[in-house]
Amino acid sequence: MVRVFAAYLRAAWKTTRWRFEGVDALRKTLAEDGPVVVVLWHERIAYSPLAFPAREFPICSLTSNARAGRFAGQVQAAFGFHTVSMDSRRGNINASRNVMRMMRAGVSIGIAADGPQGPARVMKSVPIEWARTSGRPIYLLSYSVGRFRRTKSWDRLMVPGLFTNGTVAFRKWDHAIPRKADAEMREAARVQLEKDLTAFTDEIDNNR
């Protein structure tokens, strides 16, 4: 099933007429400054392994150990992603340490910021904590296509169609998170990132 879905994504990607925004700026950051934290909404994960230039710059995606999370991780691995599995019911200290070690080694981290179980478009604290701890910048990611369908899952996953037009966009989040930020500052950053990622995703849809 993983091979079938990955093959479909490749076909859909190749038959889409794309417009790219912010990809050159992302590549410049990765080449000159090092890894980043990439955040997107769970509804847009289908094309995430194709949108990021993983052949040029290594990236690790955060997945859950639930069945759907394992499937998503296997699909992303088929496109060259590293994956780290986390259990939403546990503290995941070891997984977080692994992620930090990878980032220190130059590997970016990708996070569906409302995953793995939602609610949809409600930001978890993980992206803020990892950006704060690592000192690395956050990049927003989204894509939009003219032809797609939605699943009935909690996130209403957008599954792209064939022979359509679309936009893939990255944008650097214009906020710094001090390493010693207190709980109030971290929560304010989480709320702001949630608002900005939602606005960014909707903007890409409206301007496709």
Side-chain angles (χ1 to χ4, degrees):
M1 187 63 179
V2 170
R3 290 183 179 179
V4 172
F5 190 62
Y8 174 79
L9 288 178
R10 287 190 180 96
W13 180 270
K14 289 180 179 179
T15 61
T16 297
R17 184 169 57 189
W18 287 108
R19 179 168 63 92
F20 295 94
E21 298 180 5
V23 179
D24 289 342
L26 171 66
R27 282 194 172 97
K28 182 177 175 64
T29 296
L30 292 168
E32 298 180 359
D33 193 39
V36 301
V37 178
V38 180
V39 297
L40 70 161
W41 290 135
H42 204 278
E43 66 188 66
R44 307 296 167 112
I45 64 171
Y47 266 152
S48 60
L50 286 153
F52 187 90
R55 291 185 178 181
E56 304 167 55
F57 306 98
I59 185 169
C60 172
S61 63
L62 176 65
T63 64
S64 77
N65 62 358
R67 182 179 179 181
R70 292 195 303 270
F71 179 82
Q74 290 168 354
V75 171
Q76 291 169 344
F79 290 97
F81 276 42
H82 304 281
T83 61
V84 171
S85 177
M86 298 185 74
D87 187 338
S88 59
R89 298 169 297 180
R90 299 180 181 178
N92 293 296
I93 293 176
N94 288 337
S96 294
R97 287 174 177 170
N98 287 338
V99 167
M100 290 298 106
R101 281 195 291 267
M102 295 182 78
M103 293 196 75
R104 286 194 293 270
V107 179
S108 295
I109 180 70
I111 306 171
D114 52 349
Q117 298 176 336
R121 294 196 175 193
V122 175
M123 179 71 57
K124 300 292 193 294
S125 62
V126 173
I128 296 298
E129 292 305 314
W130 285 358
R132 180 184 67 84
T133 303
S134 68
R136 305 310 304 152
I138 291 176
Y139 267 78
L140 315 180
L141 164 62
S142 191
Y143 75 86
S144 183
V145 289
R147 183 178 300 155
F148 63 90
R149 66 180 181 86
R150 296 273 191 177
T151 66
K152 295 181 180 179
S153 55
W154 66 266
D155 60 348
R156 298 188 67 243
L157 177 68
M158 178 186 282
V159 180
L162 299 165
F163 301 102
T164 186
N165 63 298
T167 299
V168 167
F170 289 89
R171 182 177 297 169
K172 186 177 181 180
W173 192 51
D174 192 24
H175 294 271
I177 309 167
R179 186 177 180 85
K180 295 184 178 180
D182 60 23
E184 184 176 353
M185 293 173 65
R186 297 197 299 271
E187 172 60 11
R190 186 199 66 79
V191 171
Q192 187 63 54
L193 181 57
E194 177 180 292
K195 292 179 180 178
D196 291 345
L197 182 55
T198 295
F200 174 67
T201 302
D202 291 343
E203 175 189 331
I204 301 307
D205 283 347
N206 293 334
N207 294 336
R208 187 188 66 250

